[in-house]
């Protein structure tokens, strides 16, 4: 059985008195343990709502989400699901609870009532995993954006999650900060953590094993990056190809097929084959 | 005419304390009216300190040595400070977080009203600004800016700046946080603003593809110093320079480097994907073999993948 | 005016004072503050200052960090000082000009009042400088824990306090950004009548409020996502234990307090005599 399973999920947002918005429409999909998935779509496509549905912050209006067989709507299991499905948000300044970094990382483990020694060893481990051990006694407000997001990831890792969701966690970072965060995420995925990266950067999406594209709350495209980029359907979802894939598509239209191109390396590979 | 003239500008934060940090180190800079300048550099390289000197939000610390002159007005002169502020329109990062009025119209009118223009002129400017940024007056003027979508809010905020009709428009990462559609719309809006309202544009960006496509001059800052200054072609094709100062290059230039390592040599001055495409097509069709010394024709404004994805 | 008050501005250092139990520090600060109000002689103020400097040295804090918090209330001190100086009319008249009278008693009362305020704020800022906001909130929570028996949500209150402290630097930064943006649109905050100046703040305050609500919203999600309220048996990484150093600290401040009380009520002559030895005819 897949690790995450969505069955005909609908989610209706109450906007204000009398008005509501269908954010997710009849969505069914499944994600296996250990996958690295990019979830994308233009603003308002429902991707952030989906993220909050996955860890039980929102409950489906109808349909069902199973996390390792447990429904996210199960009131008794909601904290268990939140512990197993960690989430990092967009704004680095709005998710730190504590002034001092190690205190912030300890927040989750404290909330679930772990014994003190366990908390300390988990904080050590989580800070080491994101390369922030030497900053543990520092103030969070003095860090760069990329460092703040790494601390936020450490706060999630200290809960030993099965799934790591990044809700546009790199959108406010400079290129350096983005690279820092993405390499930490990549390493976690190699250690077996399922990663769901919500982003509208196609370069970032290309790093995933699988891209899921939402359009107006519905599943629009789902497949490996090469498939998604060659499907020709991205534009209708308000998205663009990453530059390398765009160039490959244009060359293909001129009669030069480079094969599957998702990023710069595969473009160069394809070109070199043609030149030989 | 020179829009910006800066001489010997240095600035330190927490001056005369152990935490003193030099943000600008003896900057000399002139910007011609009508140019589109991109300022690049890592976070903390001094970009925003430099920008805030342009409209007197930060005043030169050493008034004797430094000089900042905007359109002939000195930024150190108290009397011209207000006028100077209206000549330089500043669009800060995430400008939608500074909206405050209960209607879009009032928010956009804030700048022109501060200029003490008469009410007719104010309302005319609001209408013009809204139409330039693509917000329909009848539909949006009376709505609350807080009810709009992210992209619309940002356009309201930009309209609020250009309603002052500044001669120089400064934009600090205007596309941050937008989705691909929003990005390409906003970047073409910036081009349009230069044509219709503010002849001189200064853009801060981390995206080298945008810089290569839009700017006619690139200024790179590092540790408060100008470390590179020239056309995008000059700056990005000088690989020794970009390596030495740790500068990112546009995707096209990076691909050229990767190809060169594999023995495929392309002209050194390719910086946009369209240039790369023509060079590759020429090489692939072998009709007109190119060699590395032959310069490429200058190809007009390309884009970073905003065109059809076939 | 509030810019330099060092609340939430923990100064990290590896010292005995930093490691003291936050509850002990809270109670001792309270004792110190009460003690200051019993001080009457210059000798007493000297004693207090010696204690304060000793703590700063032991805590490995730079003097400047303590003075910075005093700078924050300088205006308040100045206004109170002026009021005192001109309102006290008893004692030997030193200067008289129209309705303004300055008397010897007035001068001494004013000096003592300034000393009292400065020592008070410096002492209180020592708490903030050597204790992280989280430790403070935890300490308060622990001290207030008996209140939980009467159904007061002590834990939530403590969390609210620690978050408020944590967001102070963020909100300052944000305020500066908004002020800069509105100035760039021609707003001026330092000219015109008081009414005009207050009105000029609206374009700053509204976005600040709106953004704070947005932040609060996002923070609430982030806290929920990290299992806040998952269990009533929330644990703590940092365990507060009463150590030998806590005992020494208590002893020090208690002896200070006793000394002050003794000096004031039982041996008032000592203070007066020492003051006279130092200042002589100036008194």
């Amino acid at each position: 059985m897949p690790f995450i399973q969505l069955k005909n999920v609908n989610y209706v947002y109450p906007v204000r008195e009398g008005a509501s918005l269908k954010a997710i429409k009849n969505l069914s999909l499944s994600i296996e343990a250990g996958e690295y998935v990019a979830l994308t779509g233009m603003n308002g496509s429902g991707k952030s709502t989906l993220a909050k549905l996955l860890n039980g912050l929102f409950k489906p209006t109808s349909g069902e989400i199973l996390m390792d067989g447990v429904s996210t709507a199960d009131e008794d299991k909601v904290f268990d699901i939140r512990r197993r499905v960690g989430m990092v948000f967009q704004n680095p300044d709005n998710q730190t609870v504590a002034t001092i970094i190690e205190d912030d990382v300890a927040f989750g483990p404290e909330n679930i009532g772990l014994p003190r020694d366990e908390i300390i060893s988990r904080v050590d481990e989580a800070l080491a995993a994101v390369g922030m051990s030497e900053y543990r006694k520092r103030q969070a407000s003095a860090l760069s954006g990329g460092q703040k997001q790494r601390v936020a990831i450490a706060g999630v890792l200290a809960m030993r999650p099965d799934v790591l969701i990044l809700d546009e966690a790199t959108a406010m970072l400079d290129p350096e900060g983005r690279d820092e965060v993405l390499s930490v995420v990549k390493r976690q995925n190699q250690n077996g953590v399922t990663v769901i990266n919500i982003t509208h950067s196609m370069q970032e999406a290309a790093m995933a094993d699988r891209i899921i594209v939402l359009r107006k709350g519905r599943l629009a495209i789902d497949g490996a990056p090469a498939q998604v980029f060659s499907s020709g359907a991205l534009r209708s979802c308000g998205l663009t190809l990453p530059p390398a894939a765009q160039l490959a598509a244009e060359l293909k239209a001129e009669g030069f097929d480079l094969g599957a191109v998702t990023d710069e390396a595969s473009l160069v590979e394809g070109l070199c084959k043609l030149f030989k | 005419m020179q829009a910006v003239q800066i001489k010997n500008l240095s600035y330190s934060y927490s001056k005369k304390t152990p935490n003193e940090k030099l943000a600008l180190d003896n900057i000399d800079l002139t910007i011609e009216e009508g140019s589109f300048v991109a300022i690049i550099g890592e976070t903390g390289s001094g970009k925003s300190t430099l920008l805030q000197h342009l409209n007197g939000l930060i005043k030169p610390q050493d008034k004797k040595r430094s000089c900042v002159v905007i359109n002939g007005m000195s930024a150190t002169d108290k009397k011209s400070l207000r006028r100077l502020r209206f000549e330089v329109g500043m669009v800060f990062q995430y400008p939608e977080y500074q909206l405050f009025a209960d209607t879009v119209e009032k928010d956009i009118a804030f700048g022109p009203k501060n200029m003490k223009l008469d009410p007719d002129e104010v309302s005319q400017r609001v209408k013009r600004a809204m139409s330039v940024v693509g917000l329909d007056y009848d539909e949006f003027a009376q709505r609350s800016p807080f009810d709009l979508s992210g992209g619309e809010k940002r356009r309201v905020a930009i309209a609020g700046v250009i309603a002052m009709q500044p001669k120089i428009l400064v934009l600090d990462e205007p596309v941050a946080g937008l989705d691909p559609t929003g990005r390409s719309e906003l970047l073409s809006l910036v081009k349009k603003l230069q044509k219709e309202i503010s002849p001189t544009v200064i853009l801060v960006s981390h995206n080298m593809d945008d810089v290569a496509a839009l700017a006619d001059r690139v200024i790179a800052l590092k540790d408060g110093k100008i470390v590179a200054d020239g056309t995008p072609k000059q700056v990005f094709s000088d690989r020794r320079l970009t390596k030495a100062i740790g500068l990112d290059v546009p995707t096209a230039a990076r691909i050229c480097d990767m190809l060169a390592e594999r023995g495929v040599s392309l002209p050194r001055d390719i910086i946009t994907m369209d240039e790369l495409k023509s060079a590759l097509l020429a090489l692939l069709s072998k009709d007109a073999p190119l060699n590395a010394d032959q310069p490429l024709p200058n190809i007009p404004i390309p884009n970073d993948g905003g065109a059809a994805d076939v | 005016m509030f810019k330099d008050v060092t609340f939430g501005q923990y100064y990290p250092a590896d010292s005995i004072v930093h490691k003291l139990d936050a509850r002990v520090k809270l109670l001792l600060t309270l004792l110190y503050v009460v003690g200051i109000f019993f001080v009457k002689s210059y000798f007493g103020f000297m004693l207090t200052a010696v204690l304060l400097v000793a703590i700063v040295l032991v805590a490995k804090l730079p003097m400047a960090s303590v003075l910075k918090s005093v700078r924050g209330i300088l205006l308040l001190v100045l206004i109170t000082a002026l009021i005192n100086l001109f309102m006290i009319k008893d004692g030997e008249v030193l200067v008289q000009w129209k309705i303004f009278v300055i008397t010897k008693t007035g001068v001494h009362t004013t000096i003592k009042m300034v000393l009292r305020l400065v020592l008070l704020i410096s002492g209180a800022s020592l708490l903030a400088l050597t204790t992280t906001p989280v430790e403070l909130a935890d300490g308060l929570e622990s001290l207030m824990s008996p209140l939980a028996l009467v159904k007061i949500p002590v834990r939530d209150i403590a969390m609210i306090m620690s978050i408020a402290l944590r967001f102070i630097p963020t909100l300052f930064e944000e305020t500066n950004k908004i002020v800069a943006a509105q100035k760039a649109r021609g707003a001026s905050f330092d000219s015109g009548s008081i009414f005009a100046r207050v009105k000029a703040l609206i374009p700053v305050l509204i976005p600040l409020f709106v953004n704070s609500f947005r932040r609060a919203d996002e923070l609430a999600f982030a806290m929920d996502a990290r299992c806040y309220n998952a269990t009533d048996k929330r644990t703590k990484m940092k365990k507060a234990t009463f150590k030998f150093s806590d005992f020494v600290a208590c002893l020090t401040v208690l002896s200070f307090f006793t000394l002050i009380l003794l000096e004031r009520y039982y041996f008032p002559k000592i203070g007066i005599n020492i003051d006279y030895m130092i200042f002589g005819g100036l008194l």
Side-chain angles (χ1 to χ4, degrees), chain B residues 24 82 87 127 160 163-164 170 211 213 225 240 263 274 279 309:
Chain B
L24 293 178
R82 271 186 80 72
E87 300 261 314
K127 281 181 187 152
M164 304 192 302
V170 182
V211 169
K225 288 195 186 77
R240 249 197 318 205
D274 282 2
D309 29 325

Side-chain angles (χ1 to χ4, degrees), chain B residues 4 6 9 11 13 23-24 39 46-61 68 70 75-76 81 84-85 88-93 170-172 202 204 221, chain C residues 173 175-184:
Chain B
V4 176
I6 291 175
L9 182 62
Y11 191 87
Y13 287 101
L24 293 178
I39 298 185
K47 287 172 302 183
S48 60
T49 312
L50 178 62
L51 294 188
Q52 294 194 59
H53 275 93
L54 296 179
N55 71 345
L57 282 173
I58 299 180
K59 295 185 187 79
Q61 267 169 342
V68 176
I70 310 293
T76 41
L81 186 62
L84 181 143
R85 217 158 250 178
V88 185
M90 282 271 196
V91 178
F92 288 91
Q93 263 183 52
V170 182
L171 302 118
D172 190 356
I202 299 171
V204 171
L221 283 181
Chain C
E173 204 180 306
T175 310
N176 289 338
K177 274 187 199 159
I178 298 173
V179 166
Q182 308 303 31
K183 269 190 181 168

